[in-house]
Amino acid sequence: MPAISAIIRVMESAARKAGGRLRRDFGEVEHLQVSQKGPADFVSKADQRAERILYDELSKARPGWGFMLEEGGDIPAEPGKPRFIIDPLDGTSNFLHGIPHFAISIAVQEPTLDGKGWGEISAALIYQPVTDESYWAEKSRGAWLHDRRLRVSGRRSLNEALIATGIPFLGHGDIGEWTRIFGAIAPEVAGIRRFGAASLDLAWVAAGKFDGFWESGLKPWDVAAGILLVREAGGFVTDYRGGGQPMERQQVIAGNDSLHSRLHKLLVGALR
């Protein structure tokens, strides 16, 4: 195991502090104040409290860095400095229904050389408060669960593969497109799961629990950390065109080299 870098320690410390607050709120979820941002799009006091803790801890540890926050919007970075991309509570609907499957997702995105945009994700952490699991990765340093190296699944055949996805719902996603993709993939695989937290879906692909994943309409804070985890665990992540812009196009296909290729072929065929 490589020495854990300072930035991963900073991210994990912040996530654990926010995660403790989420665990307490989860134990009293029926008393939380909840508001609605849009159709089937809810935000609770738990999201806001966790985000405030993350912002306070990370901005104190890394002054001048920028933020892309799910609830708080964008906070510009000082010239030449990276930014954090944060989802303080991925799986809000699970959380509000008392389902113990949700996570904190934090990624570090580097500025482009010209300083006019944003480039690669260099560090990632996904923390699951209920199980106290920290999935983390750094560019060119591998993906890890605590001190255990992660590798994507070695399965090569779709008929042995367990695939994760997200399902469109009220006001979110293209149900017609998803139905066509599902109709193409489902008959070919051993199973499909929808657990409701994309960050954990991708962490589980990196850990080899899921063999693959597809979903569209995801925001950067849903997938930024998970994309790096899968790639550093030896997997492939692309958009639906097979290109390298899953975050920008809000389309994700993930898996090992063999299963990614097979899933991509089925998906493209379904969308013709």
Side-chain angles (χ1 to χ4, degrees):
M1 175 184 172
I4 298 176
S5 70
I7 188 58
I8 293 296
R9 290 191 185 280
V10 162
M11 293 159 67
E12 183 170 31
S13 174
R16 287 185 177 279
K17 187 168 183 178
R21 177 74 250 187
L22 285 177
R23 282 193 298 271
R24 290 194 293 276
D25 284 339
F26 187 65
E28 301 179 355
V29 68
E30 67 275 10
H31 302 306
L32 281 177
Q33 182 181 337
V34 180
S35 57
Q36 192 165 352
K37 296 187 287 184
D41 190 6
F42 302 97
V43 61
S44 71
K45 282 293 182 186
D47 299 69
Q48 295 164 340
R49 278 195 286 252
E51 187 170 276
R52 171 50 63 178
I53 291 169
L54 293 168
Y55 174 77
D56 288 346
E57 293 295 308
L58 294 171
S59 60
K60 183 168 52 180
R62 290 296 184 272
W65 286 32
F67 287 82
M68 177 189 278
L69 301 164
E70 181 182 12
E71 307 306 334
D74 291 351
I75 298 172
E78 292 179 1
K81 292 193 174 183
R83 69 174 176 178
F84 292 106
I85 301 176
I86 294 176
D87 190 338
L89 177 49
D90 184 27
T92 297
S93 290
N94 285 346
F95 185 93
L96 294 177
H97 285 81
I99 298 170
H101 189 78
F102 51 87
I104 293 166
S105 178
I106 309 171
V108 174
Q109 188 174 29
E110 300 295 330
T112 54
L113 290 176
D114 63 10
K116 296 180 179 178
W118 294 101
E120 67 181 15
I121 302 298
S122 60
L125 183 131
I126 295 170
Y127 179 62
Q128 192 171 13
V130 173
T131 59
D132 193 33
E133 291 177 312
S134 287
Y135 297 86
W136 62 273
E138 282 191 274
K139 184 76 173 175
S140 303
R141 299 189 75 214
W144 304 79
L145 172 57
H146 301 299
D147 60 354
R148 179 169 67 84
R149 183 72 183 262
L150 299 180
R151 298 296 298 177
V152 292
S153 161
R155 295 185 180 89
R156 317 300 288 178
S157 300
L158 281 173
N159 62 11
E160 299 176 348
L162 186 64
I163 307 299
T165 189
I167 301 173
F169 54 95
L170 177 64
H172 299 265
D174 184 334
I175 188 66
E177 176 187 89
W178 184 88
T179 300
R180 293 196 300 277
I181 297 170
F182 179 83
I185 292 176
E188 305 294 328
V189 300
I192 293 179
R193 299 291 183 267
R194 199 281 196 208
F195 281 3
S199 63
L200 284 173
D201 288 340
L202 288 166
W204 286 12
V205 172
K209 297 181 181 183
F210 288 140
D211 300 296
F213 171 79
W214 94 88
E215 190 172 353
S216 63
L218 294 166
K219 300 297 185 184
W221 48 79
D222 295 318
V223 298
I227 287 171
L228 183 64
L229 273 161
V230 173
R231 288 175 173 165
E232 287 296 316
F236 286 75
V237 187
T238 68
D239 53 49
Y240 284 6
R241 300 180 187 183
Q245 296 183 300
M247 210 161 68
E248 293 80 2
R249 295 190 185 281
Q250 298 187 6
Q251 301 168 338
V252 177
I253 313 173
N256 66 30
D257 57 348
S258 179
L259 292 182
H260 178 279
S261 177
R262 288 169 168 79
L263 287 171
H264 181 241
K265 184 176 180 180
L266 288 171
L267 188 147
V268 168
L271 297 182
R272 280 193 182 125

